[in-house]
Amino acid sequence: ATLADDYFRAAFGAEGPACLAYLETISQLFDPPYLRDEKPRHDPAVAATFARLPGVVAEFRPTIARNLAAPDPCHARSWHYLAQHADLCALLAEALRLRATGDDEAALVAWAATQRFMRESEVDLHPVLDAYEFQSVLGRLFHSHRPDRFGE
């Protein structure tokens, strides 16, 4: 077993390996080079990738739901945080999809909904997520536009 396997079993219990696989898929679909602004702002292929995220999240929600009441309090808390992570991923994926399709105005509206979720969840999530850092790092994608980059 790898260190990651051991960690996910310790944090999530018996379904830890499924959680690891889910999060690896989510990480790939969020397209790190795009998030680092290393790809064109408007990219239909990237938009199609972001469009897949809500389905991946929805498919894993039953696994999250059945583990929320895990007898081990550590496991239950990990699944609780993952449930909120799923909500956040769905919101962020939509904002990024809209940005990648070129609908910058709708992307800003979707990003505002993502930020609203962060504000409403911050008290609960602050031990595991720095809302300020999240919003400042990702917010630059929605509030900056360099039309000369990548020949746009």
Side-chain angles (χ1 to χ4, degrees):
T2 68
L3 180 61
D5 291 331
D6 291 345
Y7 169 82
F8 277 85
R9 280 190 190 283
F12 291 90
E15 292 199 82
C19 180
L20 174 58
Y22 162 74
L23 290 174
E24 286 173 335
T25 300
I26 292 288
S27 292
Q28 291 170 358
L29 292 175
F30 266 112
D31 196 342
Y34 184 82
L35 295 181
R36 290 189 303 264
D37 218 8
E38 296 170 359
K39 289 184 172 182
R41 179 183 188 92
H42 303 139
D43 185 329
V46 171
T49 299
F50 288 135
R52 293 176 48 207
L53 274 155
V56 170
V57 170
E59 189 177 305
F60 198 67
R61 283 190 191 272
T63 303
I64 295 170
R66 77 172 159 261
N67 284 284
L68 287 172
D72 181 305
C74 172
H75 297 162
R77 195 66 179 161
S78 294
W79 289 102
H80 167 78
Y81 286 136
L82 194 63
Q84 292 186 321
H85 177 268
D87 294 340
L88 183 59
C89 283
L91 289 165
L92 180 59
E94 178 61 6
L96 290 167
R97 183 192 68 78
L98 289 165
R99 179 187 189 265
T101 63
D103 194 343
D104 291 335
E105 196 170 313
L108 279 172
V109 171
W111 172 242
T114 306
Q115 290 179 294
R116 189 169 39 258
F117 175 83
M118 289 295 301
R119 279 192 307 276
E120 291 168 358
S121 307
E122 188 170 12
V123 170
D124 185 39
L125 293 179
H126 81 87
V128 294
L129 178 64
D130 183 334
Y132 175 80
E133 187 72 15
F134 175 88
Q135 292 180 65
S136 64
V137 168
L138 291 173
R140 70 177 165 70
L141 293 173
F142 297 96
H143 296 293
S144 68
H145 182 61
R146 296 183 306 274
D148 57 330
R149 186 128 191 231
F150 300 109
E152 290 182 83

PDB file of all heavy atoms in Angstrom, residues 15-36:
ATOM      1  N   GLU A  15     -13.826   2.937   2.928  1.00  0.00           N
ATOM      2  CA  GLU A  15     -13.997   3.466   1.576  1.00  0.00           C
ATOM      3  C   GLU A  15     -12.977   4.553   1.238  1.00  0.00           C
ATOM      4  O   GLU A  15     -13.124   5.270   0.255  1.00  0.00           O
ATOM      5  CB  GLU A  15     -15.431   3.969   1.379  1.00  0.00           C
ATOM      6  CG  GLU A  15     -16.421   2.806   1.388  1.00  0.00           C
ATOM      7  CD  GLU A  15     -17.747   3.145   0.764  1.00  0.00           C
ATOM      8  OE1 GLU A  15     -17.838   3.101  -0.474  1.00  0.00           O
ATOM      9  OE2 GLU A  15     -18.676   3.450   1.523  1.00  0.00           O
ATOM     10  N   GLY A  16     -11.918   4.605   2.025  1.00  0.00           N
ATOM     11  CA  GLY A  16     -10.840   5.546   1.754  1.00  0.00           C
ATOM     12  C   GLY A  16     -10.248   5.413   0.358  1.00  0.00           C
ATOM     13  O   GLY A  16     -10.026   6.415  -0.320  1.00  0.00           O
ATOM     14  N   PRO A  17      -9.985   4.173  -0.118  1.00  0.00           N
ATOM     15  CA  PRO A  17      -9.439   4.039  -1.474  1.00  0.00           C
ATOM     16  C   PRO A  17     -10.373   4.603  -2.552  1.00  0.00           C
ATOM     17  O   PRO A  17      -9.915   5.195  -3.527  1.00  0.00           O
ATOM     18  CB  PRO A  17      -9.250   2.531  -1.631  1.00  0.00           C
ATOM     19  CG  PRO A  17      -9.043   2.043  -0.229  1.00  0.00           C
ATOM     20  CD  PRO A  17      -9.965   2.899   0.616  1.00  0.00           C
ATOM     21  N   ALA A  18     -11.676   4.455  -2.364  1.00  0.00           N
ATOM     22  CA  ALA A  18     -12.629   5.031  -3.318  1.00  0.00           C
ATOM     23  C   ALA A  18     -12.557   6.553  -3.284  1.00  0.00           C
ATOM     24  O   ALA A  18     -12.634   7.226  -4.327  1.00  0.00           O
ATOM     25  CB  ALA A  18     -14.047   4.558  -3.008  1.00  0.00           C
ATOM     26  N   CYS A  19     -12.374   7.094  -2.084  1.00  0.00           N
ATOM     27  CA  CYS A  19     -12.243   8.545  -1.939  1.00  0.00           C
ATOM     28  C   CYS A  19     -10.984   9.038  -2.649  1.00  0.00           C
ATOM     29  O   CYS A  19     -11.010  10.055  -3.347  1.00  0.00           O
ATOM     30  CB  CYS A  19     -12.212   8.903  -0.459  1.00  0.00           C
ATOM     31  SG  CYS A  19     -12.063  10.659  -0.163  1.00  0.00           S
ATOM     32  N   LEU A  20      -9.892   8.335  -2.476  1.00  0.00           N
ATOM     33  CA  LEU A  20      -8.642   8.699  -3.144  1.00  0.00           C
ATOM     34  C   LEU A  20      -8.827   8.707  -4.661  1.00  0.00           C
ATOM     35  O   LEU A  20      -8.429   9.666  -5.337  1.00  0.00           O
ATOM     36  CB  LEU A  20      -7.522   7.739  -2.747  1.00  0.00           C
ATOM     37  CG  LEU A  20      -6.182   7.892  -3.473  1.00  0.00           C
ATOM     38  CD1 LEU A  20      -5.604   9.290  -3.298  1.00  0.00           C
ATOM     39  CD2 LEU A  20      -5.198   6.832  -2.992  1.00  0.00           C
ATOM     40  N   ALA A  21      -9.446   7.678  -5.200  1.00  0.00           N
ATOM     41  CA  ALA A  21      -9.674   7.604  -6.649  1.00  0.00           C
ATOM     42  C   ALA A  21     -10.551   8.767  -7.121  1.00  0.00           C
ATOM     43  O   ALA A  21     -10.277   9.386  -8.156  1.00  0.00           O
ATOM     44  CB  ALA A  21     -10.309   6.266  -7.015  1.00  0.00           C
ATOM     45  N   TYR A  22     -11.596   9.070  -6.363  1.00  0.00           N
ATOM     46  CA  TYR A  22     -12.488  10.192  -6.686  1.00  0.00           C
ATOM     47  C   TYR A  22     -11.716  11.502  -6.711  1.00  0.00           C
ATOM     48  O   TYR A  22     -11.813  12.287  -7.663  1.00  0.00           O
ATOM     49  CB  TYR A  22     -13.621  10.223  -5.653  1.00  0.00           C
ATOM     50  CG  TYR A  22     -14.374  11.533  -5.558  1.00  0.00           C
ATOM     51  CD1 TYR A  22     -15.270  11.911  -6.543  1.00  0.00           C
ATOM     52  CD2 TYR A  22     -14.207  12.367  -4.451  1.00  0.00           C
ATOM     53  CE1 TYR A  22     -15.981  13.105  -6.442  1.00  0.00           C
ATOM     54  CE2 TYR A  22     -14.911  13.550  -4.340  1.00  0.00           C
ATOM     55  CZ  TYR A  22     -15.799  13.925  -5.337  1.00  0.00           C
ATOM     56  OH  TYR A  22     -16.494  15.101  -5.230  1.00  0.00           O
ATOM     57  N   LEU A  23     -10.917  11.753  -5.680  1.00  0.00           N
ATOM     58  CA  LEU A  23     -10.180  13.019  -5.608  1.00  0.00           C
ATOM     59  C   LEU A  23      -9.096  13.116  -6.680  1.00  0.00           C
ATOM     60  O   LEU A  23      -8.835  14.210  -7.193  1.00  0.00           O
ATOM     61  CB  LEU A  23      -9.591  13.212  -4.210  1.00  0.00           C
ATOM     62  CG  LEU A  23     -10.623  13.497  -3.129  1.00  0.00           C
ATOM     63  CD1 LEU A  23      -9.965  13.536  -1.754  1.00  0.00           C
ATOM     64  CD2 LEU A  23     -11.373  14.799  -3.404  1.00  0.00           C
ATOM     65  N   GLU A  24      -8.506  11.997  -7.055  1.00  0.00           N
ATOM     66  CA  GLU A  24      -7.540  12.016  -8.161  1.00  0.00           C
ATOM     67  C   GLU A  24      -8.237  12.407  -9.460  1.00  0.00           C
ATOM     68  O   GLU A  24      -7.713  13.197 -10.248  1.00  0.00           O
ATOM     69  CB  GLU A  24      -6.843  10.664  -8.302  1.00  0.00           C
ATOM     70  CG  GLU A  24      -5.822  10.409  -7.209  1.00  0.00           C
ATOM     71  CD  GLU A  24      -5.237   9.009  -7.239  1.00  0.00           C
ATOM     72  OE1 GLU A  24      -5.882   8.058  -7.760  1.00  0.00           O
ATOM     73  OE2 GLU A  24      -4.108   8.846  -6.716  1.00  0.00           O
ATOM     74  N   THR A  25      -9.436  11.873  -9.678  1.00  0.00           N
ATOM     75  CA  THR A  25     -10.210  12.220 -10.877  1.00  0.00           C
ATOM     76  C   THR A  25     -10.574  13.701 -10.864  1.00  0.00           C
ATOM     77  O   THR A  25     -10.406  14.401 -11.875  1.00  0.00           O
ATOM     78  CB  THR A  25     -11.490  11.358 -10.965  1.00  0.00           C
ATOM     79  OG1 THR A  25     -11.099   9.987 -11.026  1.00  0.00           O
ATOM     80  CG2 THR A  25     -12.328  11.718 -12.178  1.00  0.00           C
ATOM     81  N   ILE A  26     -11.067  14.183  -9.729  1.00  0.00           N
ATOM     82  CA  ILE A  26     -11.430  15.603  -9.599  1.00  0.00           C
ATOM     83  C   ILE A  26     -10.208  16.483  -9.900  1.00  0.00           C
ATOM     84  O   ILE A  26     -10.310  17.470 -10.633  1.00  0.00           O
ATOM     85  CB  ILE A  26     -11.965  15.882  -8.170  1.00  0.00           C
ATOM     86  CG1 ILE A  26     -13.300  15.193  -7.945  1.00  0.00           C
ATOM     87  CG2 ILE A  26     -12.060  17.375  -7.888  1.00  0.00           C
ATOM     88  CD1 ILE A  26     -14.465  15.786  -8.672  1.00  0.00           C
ATOM     89  N   SER A  27      -9.077  16.121  -9.338  1.00  0.00           N
ATOM     90  CA  SER A  27      -7.866  16.922  -9.535  1.00  0.00           C
ATOM     91  C   SER A  27      -7.490  17.007 -11.010  1.00  0.00           C
ATOM     92  O   SER A  27      -7.125  18.082 -11.494  1.00  0.00           O
ATOM     93  CB  SER A  27      -6.702  16.323  -8.748  1.00  0.00           C
ATOM     94  OG  SER A  27      -6.930  16.465  -7.371  1.00  0.00           O
ATOM     95  N   GLN A  28      -7.582  15.907 -11.724  1.00  0.00           N
ATOM     96  CA  GLN A  28      -7.263  15.926 -13.155  1.00  0.00           C
ATOM     97  C   GLN A  28      -8.260  16.779 -13.930  1.00  0.00           C
ATOM     98  O   GLN A  28      -7.870  17.538 -14.814  1.00  0.00           O
ATOM     99  CB  GLN A  28      -7.244  14.502 -13.710  1.00  0.00           C
ATOM    100  CG  GLN A  28      -6.094  13.665 -13.193  1.00  0.00           C
ATOM    101  CD  GLN A  28      -6.246  12.193 -13.562  1.00  0.00           C
ATOM    102  OE1 GLN A  28      -7.231  11.781 -14.174  1.00  0.00           O
ATOM    103  NE2 GLN A  28      -5.275  11.396 -13.168  1.00  0.00           N
ATOM    104  N   LEU A  29      -9.538  16.648 -13.602  1.00  0.00           N
ATOM    105  CA  LEU A  29     -10.565  17.384 -14.340  1.00  0.00           C
ATOM    106  C   LEU A  29     -10.513  18.892 -14.087  1.00  0.00           C
ATOM    107  O   LEU A  29     -10.947  19.667 -14.933  1.00  0.00           O
ATOM    108  CB  LEU A  29     -11.960  16.838 -14.012  1.00  0.00           C
ATOM    109  CG  LEU A  29     -12.250  15.433 -14.527  1.00  0.00           C
ATOM    110  CD1 LEU A  29     -13.611  14.953 -14.041  1.00  0.00           C
ATOM    111  CD2 LEU A  29     -12.180  15.389 -16.051  1.00  0.00           C
ATOM    112  N   PHE A  30      -9.968  19.296 -12.956  1.00  0.00           N
ATOM    113  CA  PHE A  30      -9.843  20.736 -12.710  1.00  0.00           C
ATOM    114  C   PHE A  30      -8.695  21.356 -13.511  1.00  0.00           C
ATOM    115  O   PHE A  30      -8.500  22.556 -13.467  1.00  0.00           O
ATOM    116  CB  PHE A  30      -9.736  21.054 -11.214  1.00  0.00           C
ATOM    117  CG  PHE A  30     -11.062  21.379 -10.596  1.00  0.00           C
ATOM    118  CD1 PHE A  30     -11.636  20.525  -9.674  1.00  0.00           C
ATOM    119  CD2 PHE A  30     -11.756  22.529 -10.941  1.00  0.00           C
ATOM    120  CE1 PHE A  30     -12.869  20.809  -9.111  1.00  0.00           C
ATOM    121  CE2 PHE A  30     -12.995  22.823 -10.385  1.00  0.00           C
ATOM    122  CZ  PHE A  30     -13.545  21.960  -9.469  1.00  0.00           C
ATOM    123  N   ASP A  31      -7.977  20.563 -14.267  1.00  0.00           N
ATOM    124  CA  ASP A  31      -6.988  21.044 -15.232  1.00  0.00           C
ATOM    125  C   ASP A  31      -6.009  22.051 -14.627  1.00  0.00           C
ATOM    126  O   ASP A  31      -6.077  23.255 -14.904  1.00  0.00           O
ATOM    127  CB  ASP A  31      -7.709  21.650 -16.442  1.00  0.00           C
ATOM    128  CG  ASP A  31      -6.801  21.813 -17.644  1.00  0.00           C
ATOM    129  OD1 ASP A  31      -5.559  21.784 -17.488  1.00  0.00           O
ATOM    130  OD2 ASP A  31      -7.335  21.976 -18.751  1.00  0.00           O
ATOM    131  N   PRO A  32      -5.077  21.565 -13.800  1.00  0.00           N
ATOM    132  CA  PRO A  32      -4.120  22.474 -13.145  1.00  0.00           C
ATOM    133  C   PRO A  32      -3.429  23.475 -14.064  1.00  0.00           C
ATOM    134  O   PRO A  32      -3.299  24.648 -13.691  1.00  0.00           O
ATOM    135  CB  PRO A  32      -3.135  21.519 -12.468  1.00  0.00           C
ATOM    136  CG  PRO A  32      -3.969  20.315 -12.166  1.00  0.00           C
ATOM    137  CD  PRO A  32      -4.896  20.178 -13.358  1.00  0.00           C
ATOM    138  N   PRO A  33      -3.001  23.111 -15.290  1.00  0.00           N
ATOM    139  CA  PRO A  33      -2.391  24.145 -16.138  1.00  0.00           C
ATOM    140  C   PRO A  33      -3.349  25.309 -16.450  1.00  0.00           C
ATOM    141  O   PRO A  33      -2.928  26.462 -16.514  1.00  0.00           O
ATOM    142  CB  PRO A  33      -1.994  23.388 -17.408  1.00  0.00           C
ATOM    143  CG  PRO A  33      -1.817  21.974 -16.958  1.00  0.00           C
ATOM    144  CD  PRO A  33      -2.871  21.784 -15.886  1.00  0.00           C
ATOM    145  N   TYR A  34      -4.640  24.994 -16.608  1.00  0.00           N
ATOM    146  CA  TYR A  34      -5.615  26.070 -16.844  1.00  0.00           C
ATOM    147  C   TYR A  34      -5.733  26.947 -15.604  1.00  0.00           C
ATOM    148  O   TYR A  34      -5.756  28.171 -15.703  1.00  0.00           O
ATOM    149  CB  TYR A  34      -6.975  25.470 -17.217  1.00  0.00           C
ATOM    150  CG  TYR A  34      -8.006  26.523 -17.575  1.00  0.00           C
ATOM    151  CD1 TYR A  34      -8.032  27.081 -18.848  1.00  0.00           C
ATOM    152  CD2 TYR A  34      -8.937  26.959 -16.648  1.00  0.00           C
ATOM    153  CE1 TYR A  34      -8.967  28.054 -19.189  1.00  0.00           C
ATOM    154  CE2 TYR A  34      -9.872  27.922 -16.968  1.00  0.00           C
ATOM    155  CZ  TYR A  34      -9.884  28.466 -18.241  1.00  0.00           C
ATOM    156  OH  TYR A  34     -10.815  29.447 -18.566  1.00  0.00           O
ATOM    157  N   LEU A  35      -5.792  26.327 -14.438  1.00  0.00           N
ATOM    158  CA  LEU A  35      -5.910  27.096 -13.197  1.00  0.00           C
ATOM    159  C   LEU A  35      -4.669  27.946 -12.936  1.00  0.00           C
ATOM    160  O   LEU A  35      -4.763  28.984 -12.279  1.00  0.00           O
ATOM    161  CB  LEU A  35      -6.166  26.164 -12.006  1.00  0.00           C
ATOM    162  CG  LEU A  35      -7.484  25.398 -12.030  1.00  0.00           C
ATOM    163  CD1 LEU A  35      -7.610  24.532 -10.792  1.00  0.00           C
ATOM    164  CD2 LEU A  35      -8.661  26.336 -12.167  1.00  0.00           C
ATOM    165  N   ARG A  36      -3.533  27.508 -13.446  1.00  0.00           N
ATOM    166  CA  ARG A  36      -2.303  28.303 -13.316  1.00  0.00           C
ATOM    167  C   ARG A  36      -2.217  29.363 -14.397  1.00  0.00           C
ATOM    168  O   ARG A  36      -1.216  30.060 -14.508  1.00  0.00           O
ATOM    169  CB  ARG A  36      -1.072  27.387 -13.363  1.00  0.00           C
ATOM    170  CG  ARG A  36      -0.904  26.507 -12.139  1.00  0.00           C
ATOM    171  CD  ARG A  36       0.446  25.790 -12.126  1.00  0.00           C
ATOM    172  NE  ARG A  36       0.680  24.978 -13.303  1.00  0.00           N
ATOM    173  CZ  ARG A  36       0.443  23.661 -13.381  1.00  0.00           C
ATOM    174  NH1 ARG A  36      -0.044  23.012 -12.328  1.00  0.00           N
ATOM    175  NH2 ARG A  36       0.695  22.997 -14.485  1.00  0.00           N
TER     176      ARG A  36
END
